[in-house]
């Protein structure tokens, strides 16, 4: 039976080579997506455990947050850029779940993200999500959810572009490059909750800020932020 299993596994391996999503090497365990070398090469930040880390500093003087984290450094032409590209543009949701699980483990290991009630994926514009077929932030949340045992909250917060009249009304904000509007549908659901807002990549933090502010305006929440990778400029 074991022999048959081995033969079957070897045959399947030939037919459908199981290769590393990072480098294409076939030297990896059957149930893993990355080879050992790529796993070792992932540029972890270790921010989760540290108060006043660079992600938290992004939001100083902008919105009140309890804690923030980014799991990896994002550099151009890097392994992590390749993996995020696989997720967003090649529809490889499996790698998003995998990386989300890695981030979930870091957050669990830190005692600064223990009380989270909801994981909230930063919403995409509805037309963009329709086109892509999924929201990459929600995929990452699903990977985190398994590890952290915290539910993913989708649908309560929606994202829209300002209409023309709104654009006029919000001219100043637009000038500050905040062209997003986020709408919270069920405010009561968020009331008093520890919320972890999640996205794939953080750069200036403007989108996190806009979405976080909409939630803070809607309900008394304790806002936490997590991005899979931080792009330093
Ligand atoms: Zn590899």
């Amino acid at each position: 039976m074991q022999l048959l299993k081995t033969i079957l596994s070897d045959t399947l391996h030939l037919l459908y080579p199981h290769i590393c999503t990072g480098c294409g090497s076939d030297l990896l365990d059957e149930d893993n997506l990355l080879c050992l070398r790529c796993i070792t090469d992932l540029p972890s930040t270790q921010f989760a455990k540290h108060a006043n880390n660079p992600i938290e500093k992004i939001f100083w003087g902008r919105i009140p947050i309890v804690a923030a984290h980014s799991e990896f450094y994002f550099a151009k032409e890097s392994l992590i850029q390749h993996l995020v590209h696989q997720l967003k543009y090649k529809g490889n949701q499996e790698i998003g779940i995998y990386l989300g699980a890695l981030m979930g483990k870091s957050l669990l290991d830190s005692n600064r993200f223990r009380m989270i009630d909801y994981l909230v994926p930063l919403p995409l514009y509805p037309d963009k999500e329709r086109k892509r077929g999924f929201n990459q932030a929600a995929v990452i949340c699903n990977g985190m959810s398994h590890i952290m045992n915290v539910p993913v909250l989708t649908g309560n917060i929606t994202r829209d572009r300002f209409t023309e009249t709104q654009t006029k009304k919000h001219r100043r904000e637009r000038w500050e490059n905040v062209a997003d509007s986020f709408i919270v549908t069920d405010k009561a659901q968020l009331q008093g909750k520890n919320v972890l807002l999640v996205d794939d990549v953080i750069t200036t933090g403007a989108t996190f800020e806009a979405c976080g502010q909409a939630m803070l305006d809607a309900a008394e929440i304790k806002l936490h932020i997590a991005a899979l990778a931080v792009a330093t400029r």
Side-chain angles (χ1 to χ4, degrees):
M1 195 58 201
Q2 187 55 47
L3 180 67
L4 183 65
K5 250 178 143 175
T6 308
I7 291 168
L8 200 65
S9 163
D10 285 353
T11 314
L12 281 172
H13 193 264
L14 284 175
L15 290 174
Y16 307 102
H18 178 61
I19 60 167
C20 172
T21 309
C23 68
S25 150
D26 65 354
L27 297 170
L28 76 169
D29 295 339
E30 213 170 302
D31 54 356
N32 215 331
L33 294 179
L34 296 178
C35 70
L36 198 57
R37 192 172 160 185
C38 283
I39 292 170
T40 315
D41 279 352
L42 283 171
S44 301
T45 65
Q46 311 291 334
F47 287 158
K49 290 179 180 145
H50 303 289
N52 304 329
N53 67 52
I55 308 303
E56 294 178 7
K57 286 182 183 172
I58 290 175
F59 297 99
W60 282 3
R62 294 167 70 179
I63 47 167
I65 54 165
V66 179
H69 171 64
S70 170
E71 183 67 16
F72 303 112
Y73 294 103
F74 185 94
K76 285 207 167 119
E77 315 292 329
S78 67
L79 170 64
I80 198 73
Q81 187 195 30
H82 172 71
L83 297 178
V84 170
H85 185 90
Q86 289 291 314
L87 166 64
K88 282 170 83 169
Y89 306 111
K90 304 285 177 188
N92 188 343
Q93 297 187 48
E94 225 182 344
I95 193 66
I97 289 171
Y98 179 88
L99 295 172
L102 290 183
M103 176 147 79
K105 178 142 193 330
S106 295
L107 296 176
L108 215 55
D109 289 346
S110 148
N111 58 15
R112 307 180 65 237
F113 295 84
R114 283 260 167 90
M115 308 296 286
I116 304 298
D117 296 300
Y118 293 121
L119 304 173
V120 176
L122 210 146
L124 283 179
Y125 296 115
D127 55 342
K128 201 162 185 179
E129 182 164 348
R130 250 194 317 276
K131 213 172 147 199
R132 185 167 293 166
F134 60 91
N135 175 356
Q136 69 274 9
V139 175
I140 293 165
C141 281
N142 288 339
M144 297 167 74
S145 176
H146 285 300
I147 300 291
M148 298 174 76
N149 202 21
V150 174
V152 183
L153 184 65
T154 53
N156 192 351
I157 299 115
T158 50
R159 183 176 186 176
D160 205 354
R161 294 180 176 87
F162 279 132
T163 61
E164 205 172 322
T165 31
Q166 280 175 318
T167 307
K168 277 175 195 157
K169 208 163 70 183
H170 291 268
R171 193 180 294 257
R172 198 177 64 85
E173 284 91 328
R174 255 194 85 79
W175 186 251
E176 288 165 1
N177 203 19
V178 180
D180 283 316
S181 78
F182 291 92
I183 301 126
V184 176
T185 311
D186 184 353
K187 296 178 179 183
Q189 190 175 36
L190 293 179
Q191 189 59 33
K193 299 295 185 191
N194 278 281
V195 174
L196 178 55
L197 185 58
V198 176
D199 203 5
D200 53 345
V201 178
I202 181 169
T203 42
T204 65
T207 319
F208 270 115
E209 184 184 352
C211 186
Q213 190 61 60
M215 287 195 287
L216 287 162
D217 290 345
E220 280 172 40
I221 61 159
K222 295 180 193 78
L223 181 62
H224 305 64
I225 280 172
L228 196 58
V230 55
T232 45
R233 296 190 309 158

